[in-house]
Amino acid sequence: MSSDCPFCGIVAGEIPGRIVGENDHAVAFLDANPMAPGHTLVVPRNHRERLADATSEETQAVFSLVHGLAPAVEAAVDADGATVGVNDGSVAGQEVPHTHAHVIPRFAGDGGGSIHVAAGSRPELSDAKLDEIASEIGGASNDE
Ligand code: AMP
Ligand code: ZN
């Protein structure tokens, strides 16, 4: 636990949170400043800054809750779909340094965009460059 982390505080019950689901390694609660009604965050119980800092077991627990909650969140607010994602690192917009998955209900005509807008414009990449990147990723995965 990190003493100045709001999400550790919610997991420990020391900071108020609207808990909507939990399992052995993860907890889900409503976002306090939601982008849409039902906006939910899912965090590992342990303080892990980035997604890759969490163990495989913790990551599975987080995404198991996401999987179960996404339809429940949509149904609760009568949404038409959801955007699910992680702002992984400050450059990607992560503000709270305790990794968390967002489940953001989406509504027809809500004015939002797809997850593609998060990264700016598309780069031009040759087939050779794509092959090189695929090979680099395949050799560096830390999957357990
Ligand atoms: P991110 O930019 O991905 O780090 O998102 C952090 C999210 O945490 C934002 O959507 C905030 O509204 C939300 N948030 C910050 N503090 C709290 C809190 N104490 N309880 C619930 N949600 C919070
Ligand atoms: Zn924390």
Side-chain angles (χ1 to χ4, degrees):
M1 170 160 179
S2 169
S3 57
D4 56 356
C5 171
F7 294 172
C8 283
I10 291 171
V11 169
E14 293 167 359
I15 292 177
R18 293 182 175 86
I19 309 278
V20 296
E22 54 190 317
N23 60 27
D24 282 356
H25 294 287
V27 177
F29 49 88
L30 292 189
D31 194 295
N33 189 19
M35 296 298 297
H39 183 169
T40 295
L41 303 176
V42 186
V43 307
R45 288 184 184 275
N46 288 328
H47 184 82
R48 308 294 190 199
E49 183 166 339
R50 297 280 305 275
L51 189 58
D53 296 331
T55 65
S56 178
E57 194 173 35
E58 289 166 345
T59 307
Q60 287 175 45
V62 166
F63 283 93
S64 174
L65 276 185
V66 168
H67 176 254
L69 281 170
V73 167
E74 285 185 38
V77 297
D78 204 17
D80 303 305
T83 294
V84 176
V86 176
N87 292 325
D88 195 25
S90 56
V91 73
Q94 182 178 0
E95 292 179 353
V96 177
H98 181 142
T99 191
H100 48 281
H102 293 257
V103 179
I104 305 177
R106 298 297 303 272
F107 301 87
D110 64 13
S114 87
I115 208 161
H116 293 89
V117 303
S121 56
R122 283 180 202 272
E124 291 286 335
L125 297 170
S126 66
D127 284 349
K129 187 64 186 173
L130 291 171
D131 289 345
E132 181 189 325
I133 292 169
S135 160
E136 289 284 338
I137 294 171
S141 169
N142 71 354
D143 194 26
E144 292 163 26

Short mmCIF file of all heavy atoms in Angstrom, two decimals, residues 6-7 10 15-18 29-35 39 41 85-88 92-98 100 102, ligand 1:
data_model
loop_
_atom_site.label_atom_id
_atom_site.label_comp_id
_atom_site.label_asym_id
_atom_site.label_seq_id
_atom_site.Cartn_x
_atom_site.Cartn_y
_atom_site.Cartn_z
N PRO A 6 -4.77 7.48 -3.56
CA PRO A 6 -6.21 7.42 -3.31
C PRO A 6 -6.81 6.04 -3.55
O PRO A 6 -7.75 5.64 -2.85
CB PRO A 6 -6.79 8.46 -4.29
CG PRO A 6 -5.75 8.64 -5.34
CD PRO A 6 -4.43 8.40 -4.66
N PHE A 7 -6.28 5.32 -4.52
CA PHE A 7 -6.87 4.01 -4.82
C PHE A 7 -6.50 2.99 -3.74
O PHE A 7 -7.32 2.13 -3.39
CB PHE A 7 -6.46 3.53 -6.22
CG PHE A 7 -7.03 4.39 -7.32
CD1 PHE A 7 -6.64 4.22 -8.64
CD2 PHE A 7 -7.97 5.38 -7.05
CE1 PHE A 7 -7.17 4.99 -9.67
CE2 PHE A 7 -8.51 6.18 -8.07
CZ PHE A 7 -8.10 5.98 -9.38
N ILE A 10 -8.98 3.64 -1.07
CA ILE A 10 -10.30 3.06 -1.33
C ILE A 10 -10.27 1.55 -1.07
O ILE A 10 -11.17 1.00 -0.42
CB ILE A 10 -10.75 3.38 -2.77
CG1 ILE A 10 -11.06 4.88 -2.90
CG2 ILE A 10 -11.97 2.54 -3.16
CD1 ILE A 10 -11.30 5.34 -4.31
N ILE A 15 -10.67 5.61 2.38
CA ILE A 15 -11.21 6.71 1.57
C ILE A 15 -12.54 6.21 1.02
O ILE A 15 -12.62 5.06 0.58
CB ILE A 15 -10.25 7.08 0.42
CG1 ILE A 15 -8.96 7.71 0.98
CG2 ILE A 15 -10.90 8.00 -0.59
CD1 ILE A 15 -7.94 8.03 -0.09
N PRO A 16 -13.59 7.05 1.07
CA PRO A 16 -14.88 6.58 0.57
C PRO A 16 -14.82 6.23 -0.92
O PRO A 16 -14.17 6.93 -1.70
CB PRO A 16 -15.81 7.78 0.78
CG PRO A 16 -15.07 8.73 1.64
CD PRO A 16 -13.61 8.42 1.57
N GLY A 17 -15.47 5.15 -1.27
CA GLY A 17 -15.53 4.73 -2.67
C GLY A 17 -16.81 3.94 -2.89
O GLY A 17 -17.25 3.23 -1.98
N ARG A 18 -17.39 4.06 -4.05
CA ARG A 18 -18.61 3.30 -4.36
C ARG A 18 -18.18 1.99 -5.03
O ARG A 18 -18.06 1.91 -6.25
CB ARG A 18 -19.53 4.12 -5.27
CG ARG A 18 -20.11 5.35 -4.56
CD ARG A 18 -21.07 6.10 -5.47
NE ARG A 18 -21.71 7.20 -4.75
CZ ARG A 18 -21.20 8.42 -4.60
NH1 ARG A 18 -20.03 8.73 -5.15
NH2 ARG A 18 -21.86 9.34 -3.93
N PHE A 29 -14.69 0.25 -8.55
CA PHE A 29 -15.49 1.31 -7.90
C PHE A 29 -15.80 2.38 -8.93
O PHE A 29 -15.13 2.49 -9.97
CB PHE A 29 -14.73 1.90 -6.70
CG PHE A 29 -13.30 2.29 -6.97
CD1 PHE A 29 -12.97 3.53 -7.45
CD2 PHE A 29 -12.27 1.37 -6.73
CE1 PHE A 29 -11.65 3.88 -7.71
CE2 PHE A 29 -10.95 1.71 -6.99
CZ PHE A 29 -10.64 2.97 -7.48
N LEU A 30 -16.82 3.16 -8.62
CA LEU A 30 -17.19 4.24 -9.54
C LEU A 30 -16.15 5.33 -9.54
O LEU A 30 -15.58 5.69 -8.50
CB LEU A 30 -18.55 4.84 -9.15
CG LEU A 30 -19.79 3.97 -9.32
CD1 LEU A 30 -21.05 4.82 -9.08
CD2 LEU A 30 -19.85 3.32 -10.70
N ASP A 31 -15.89 5.87 -10.73
CA ASP A 31 -15.01 7.03 -10.85
C ASP A 31 -15.68 8.23 -10.18
O ASP A 31 -16.88 8.48 -10.36
CB ASP A 31 -14.76 7.32 -12.34
CG ASP A 31 -13.61 8.28 -12.56
OD1 ASP A 31 -13.72 9.46 -12.15
OD2 ASP A 31 -12.59 7.87 -13.15
N ALA A 32 -14.90 8.96 -9.38
CA ALA A 32 -15.45 10.09 -8.63
C ALA A 32 -15.74 11.30 -9.52
O ALA A 32 -16.48 12.20 -9.13
CB ALA A 32 -14.48 10.49 -7.51
N ASN A 33 -15.16 11.33 -10.68
CA ASN A 33 -15.35 12.46 -11.60
C ASN A 33 -15.62 11.88 -12.99
O ASN A 33 -14.81 11.98 -13.90
CB ASN A 33 -14.08 13.33 -11.60
CG ASN A 33 -14.27 14.63 -12.35
OD1 ASN A 33 -15.40 15.07 -12.58
ND2 ASN A 33 -13.17 15.23 -12.77
N PRO A 34 -16.78 11.23 -13.13
CA PRO A 34 -17.03 10.35 -14.28
C PRO A 34 -17.15 11.08 -15.62
O PRO A 34 -17.67 12.18 -15.70
CB PRO A 34 -18.36 9.68 -13.92
CG PRO A 34 -19.03 10.63 -12.98
CD PRO A 34 -17.93 11.28 -12.20
N MET A 35 -16.68 10.36 -16.67
CA MET A 35 -16.85 10.84 -18.04
C MET A 35 -18.24 10.51 -18.56
O MET A 35 -18.66 11.05 -19.58
CB MET A 35 -15.81 10.18 -18.96
CG MET A 35 -14.37 10.54 -18.64
SD MET A 35 -14.04 12.29 -18.82
CE MET A 35 -14.34 12.53 -20.57
N HIS A 39 -19.30 5.30 -15.13
CA HIS A 39 -17.84 5.20 -15.36
C HIS A 39 -17.20 4.50 -14.15
O HIS A 39 -17.29 4.95 -13.02
CB HIS A 39 -17.29 6.62 -15.52
CG HIS A 39 -15.82 6.69 -15.83
ND1 HIS A 39 -15.22 7.87 -16.22
CD2 HIS A 39 -14.81 5.78 -15.80
CE1 HIS A 39 -13.94 7.68 -16.44
NE2 HIS A 39 -13.66 6.41 -16.17
N LEU A 41 -13.85 2.16 -12.46
CA LEU A 41 -12.42 1.89 -12.47
C LEU A 41 -12.19 0.53 -11.82
O LEU A 41 -12.84 0.19 -10.83
CB LEU A 41 -11.66 2.96 -11.68
CG LEU A 41 -11.86 4.40 -12.14
CD1 LEU A 41 -11.12 5.36 -11.20
CD2 LEU A 41 -11.37 4.59 -13.57
N GLY A 85 -10.36 0.78 -21.32
CA GLY A 85 -8.97 1.06 -21.60
C GLY A 85 -8.16 1.43 -20.38
O GLY A 85 -8.70 1.66 -19.29
N VAL A 86 -6.85 1.46 -20.58
CA VAL A 86 -5.91 1.81 -19.52
C VAL A 86 -5.02 2.94 -20.03
O VAL A 86 -4.41 2.81 -21.10
CB VAL A 86 -5.02 0.60 -19.16
CG1 VAL A 86 -3.97 0.98 -18.12
CG2 VAL A 86 -5.85 -0.58 -18.69
N ASN A 87 -4.95 4.04 -19.28
CA ASN A 87 -3.95 5.07 -19.56
C ASN A 87 -2.68 4.60 -18.85
O ASN A 87 -2.55 4.73 -17.64
CB ASN A 87 -4.42 6.43 -19.02
CG ASN A 87 -5.62 6.97 -19.76
OD1 ASN A 87 -5.76 6.78 -20.97
ND2 ASN A 87 -6.51 7.65 -19.06
N ASP A 88 -1.76 4.02 -19.61
CA ASP A 88 -0.60 3.34 -19.01
C ASP A 88 0.64 4.22 -19.11
O ASP A 88 1.34 4.21 -20.12
CB ASP A 88 -0.40 1.99 -19.73
CG ASP A 88 0.53 1.07 -18.96
OD1 ASP A 88 0.66 1.20 -17.73
OD2 ASP A 88 1.14 0.19 -19.61
N ALA A 92 0.57 8.79 -21.52
CA ALA A 92 -0.71 8.30 -22.05
C ALA A 92 -1.89 8.88 -21.28
O ALA A 92 -3.03 8.49 -21.53
CB ALA A 92 -0.75 6.77 -22.00
N GLY A 93 -1.60 9.79 -20.34
CA GLY A 93 -2.69 10.43 -19.62
C GLY A 93 -2.96 9.86 -18.24
O GLY A 93 -3.94 10.25 -17.60
N GLN A 94 -2.10 8.94 -17.77
CA GLN A 94 -2.31 8.38 -16.44
C GLN A 94 -2.03 9.44 -15.38
O GLN A 94 -0.92 9.99 -15.33
CB GLN A 94 -1.41 7.17 -16.21
CG GLN A 94 -1.63 6.51 -14.84
CD GLN A 94 -0.77 5.26 -14.63
OE1 GLN A 94 0.01 4.87 -15.51
NE2 GLN A 94 -0.90 4.65 -13.47
N GLU A 95 -3.03 9.72 -14.56
CA GLU A 95 -2.86 10.72 -13.51
C GLU A 95 -2.69 10.08 -12.13
O GLU A 95 -1.95 10.59 -11.31
CB GLU A 95 -4.05 11.70 -13.51
CG GLU A 95 -4.06 12.56 -14.76
CD GLU A 95 -5.23 13.53 -14.82
OE1 GLU A 95 -6.12 13.44 -13.94
OE2 GLU A 95 -5.24 14.35 -15.75
N VAL A 96 -3.41 9.01 -11.88
CA VAL A 96 -3.27 8.32 -10.59
C VAL A 96 -2.29 7.16 -10.80
O VAL A 96 -2.53 6.26 -11.61
CB VAL A 96 -4.63 7.78 -10.10
CG1 VAL A 96 -4.45 7.00 -8.80
CG2 VAL A 96 -5.61 8.94 -9.89
N PRO A 97 -1.16 7.18 -10.07
CA PRO A 97 -0.11 6.19 -10.32
C PRO A 97 -0.36 4.85 -9.64
O PRO A 97 0.52 4.29 -8.99
CB PRO A 97 1.15 6.88 -9.78
CG PRO A 97 0.64 7.73 -8.68
CD PRO A 97 -0.74 8.19 -9.08
N HIS A 98 -1.58 4.36 -9.78
CA HIS A 98 -1.97 3.00 -9.34
C HIS A 98 -2.78 2.48 -10.52
O HIS A 98 -3.88 2.99 -10.77
CB HIS A 98 -2.79 3.11 -8.05
CG HIS A 98 -3.24 1.79 -7.47
ND1 HIS A 98 -3.27 1.55 -6.11
CD2 HIS A 98 -3.70 0.66 -8.07
CE1 HIS A 98 -3.73 0.31 -5.89
NE2 HIS A 98 -4.01 -0.24 -7.08
N HIS A 100 -5.05 1.17 -13.40
CA HIS A 100 -6.50 0.97 -13.35
C HIS A 100 -7.06 0.89 -14.76
O HIS A 100 -6.62 1.61 -15.65
CB HIS A 100 -7.19 2.12 -12.59
CG HIS A 100 -6.76 3.47 -13.03
ND1 HIS A 100 -5.57 4.04 -12.61
CD2 HIS A 100 -7.33 4.38 -13.85
CE1 HIS A 100 -5.44 5.24 -13.15
NE2 HIS A 100 -6.49 5.46 -13.92
N HIS A 102 -10.32 1.57 -17.09
CA HIS A 102 -11.56 2.35 -17.14
C HIS A 102 -12.61 1.56 -17.91
O HIS A 102 -12.32 0.99 -18.97
CB HIS A 102 -11.35 3.65 -17.93
CG HIS A 102 -10.45 4.65 -17.29
ND1 HIS A 102 -10.92 5.76 -16.64
CD2 HIS A 102 -9.10 4.72 -17.21
CE1 HIS A 102 -9.91 6.49 -16.20
NE2 HIS A 102 -8.79 5.88 -16.54
P1 AMP B 1 -6.21 8.34 -15.20
O1 AMP B 1 -6.08 9.66 -15.91
O2 AMP B 1 -6.33 7.18 -16.12
O3 AMP B 1 -5.14 8.17 -14.15
O4 AMP B 1 -7.61 8.40 -14.45
C1 AMP B 1 -7.75 8.64 -13.09
C2 AMP B 1 -9.22 8.62 -12.78
O5 AMP B 1 -9.36 8.49 -11.37
C3 AMP B 1 -9.97 9.89 -13.18
O6 AMP B 1 -11.03 9.53 -14.05
C4 AMP B 1 -10.48 10.45 -11.84
O7 AMP B 1 -11.76 11.02 -11.96
C5 AMP B 1 -10.48 9.23 -10.96
N1 AMP B 1 -10.29 9.46 -9.54
C6 AMP B 1 -9.33 10.19 -8.94
N2 AMP B 1 -9.45 10.14 -7.60
C7 AMP B 1 -10.51 9.32 -7.35
C8 AMP B 1 -11.15 8.84 -6.16
N3 AMP B 1 -10.72 9.21 -4.94
N4 AMP B 1 -12.20 8.00 -6.28
C9 AMP B 1 -12.63 7.62 -7.50
N5 AMP B 1 -12.08 8.03 -8.65
C10 AMP B 1 -11.04 8.87 -8.58
#
